[in-house]
Amino acid sequence: GAVVSQHPSWVICKSGTSVKIECRSLDFQATTMFWYRQFPKQSLMLMATSNEGSKATYEQGVEKDKFLINHASLTLSTLTVTSAHPEDSSFYICSASSRVVNTEAFFGQGTRLTVV
Amino acid sequence: GQNIDQPTEMTATEGAIVQINCTYQTSGFNGLFWYQQHAGEAPTFLSYNVLDGLEEKGRFSSFLSRSKGYSYLLLKELQMKDSASYLCAVQGNTGKLIFGQGTTLQVKP
């Protein structure tokens, strides 16, 4: 299957700093990437949908100024958590697809963010 | 609105069969996915159903009834390594996946 690489796999940062997470599709062109957040013992919650070359579409309740998403190329999307706070500590996962409707969604390995 | 329901926890015995149910109400439908997720790891794709019926893949099978808004994941010959969370997700018209809360399965010897 297709490969989606997410980096870093884990990061610890100080409160008030910003953290950037990268999501790359390694062997296909991802026209759409999705960013999810998962708190302990909870399911994945969609944060935003990112289409190459256009602004991301954020889900209700997700602050677009806090979670900056850039999808500048067909193989790379980034999520920047700005002015991180301890409540932002979570597992962030991206998925990528090459078309609107898929028969398999490919996920990155996830990034464990801890804000201290 | 969108609503996807699955049991929170299930327990089964090694070697047995377990069925995890998922019911959904969504505004659009372009297929239903099942994923397995071990603690601290990303989800792993198990199955995709878009037409009614049963899809079998080794020890795992997935069933879909669109008219009833219902799916199940069937795991046969359970192994200890099958202890994990199982996520049901519905794909909408825009391609995004909406996940259920997940079912934590514990397999006991």
Side-chain angles (χ1 to χ4, degrees):
Chain A
V3 179
V4 176
S5 176
Q6 190 173 337
H7 178 81
S9 56
W10 61 270
V11 58
I12 301 173
C13 71
K14 290 185 178 180
S15 187
T17 61
S18 296
V19 173
K20 180 184 284 188
I21 302 169
E22 293 186 349
C23 181
R24 294 181 184 272
S25 56
L26 299 185
D27 54 359
F28 68 101
Q29 293 184 327
T31 53
T32 306
M33 287 188 176
F34 302 95
W35 287 95
Y36 294 85
R37 180 169 53 183
Q38 185 177 34
F39 291 107
K41 297 188 178 182
Q42 294 186 23
S43 192
L44 279 73
M45 297 298 296
L46 180 66
M47 298 176 66
T49 302
S50 168
N51 293 300
E52 186 266 339
S54 62
K55 290 183 177 180
T57 303
Y58 290 81
E59 295 298 304
Q60 192 173 10
V62 178
E63 300 174 58
K64 62 180 181 180
D65 294 331
K66 181 171 182 61
F67 299 99
L68 301 180
I69 292 173
N70 183 281
H71 192 165
S73 77
L74 286 171
T75 58
L76 174 66
S77 176
T78 60
L79 167 68
T80 301
V81 183
T82 62
S83 187
H85 291 284
E87 56 266 30
D88 298 324
S89 298
S90 186
F91 192 50
Y92 292 86
I93 310 175
C94 70
S95 74
S97 65
S98 58
R99 48 182 186 237
V100 174
V101 175
N102 300 278
T103 58
E104 182 174 350
F106 304 102
F107 284 87
Q109 305 95 312
T111 298
R112 173 74 57 194
L113 170 64
T114 303
V115 184
V116 298
Chain B
Q2 311 207 82
N3 193 40
I4 301 173
D5 282 324
Q6 49 181 131
T8 305
E9 296 180 342
M10 297 184 72
T11 303
T13 305
E14 190 176 16
I17 299 173
V18 70
Q19 177 174 311
I20 303 174
N21 296 324
C22 172
T23 58
Y24 65 90
Q25 290 178 304
T26 57
S27 55
F29 183 85
N30 272 301
L32 186 143
F33 293 79
W34 282 97
Y35 285 87
Q36 179 191 63
Q37 186 180 29
H38 286 100
E41 299 180 9
T44 302
F45 171 80
L46 293 178
S47 69
Y48 170 78
N49 294 68
V50 68
L51 300 176
D52 287 356
L54 186 68
E55 296 278 345
E56 296 185 78
K57 190 184 296 184
R59 293 191 299 117
F60 293 6
S61 301
S62 57
F63 171 83
L64 175 68
S65 169
R66 294 188 60 171
S67 62
K68 295 182 179 179
Y70 168 68
S71 173
Y72 67 73
L73 179 69
L74 193 70
L75 292 77
K76 303 176 184 176
E77 301 170 15
L78 280 174
Q79 302 175 8
M80 298 299 291
K81 67 178 183 180
D82 296 329
S83 294
S85 287
Y86 291 86
L87 309 176
C88 169
V90 173
Q91 178 172 227
N93 294 330
T94 59
K96 64 183 181 183
L97 296 183
I98 304 299
F99 284 82
Q101 68 268 35
T103 299
T104 300
L105 172 66
Q106 185 179 13
V107 180
K108 294 185 175 180

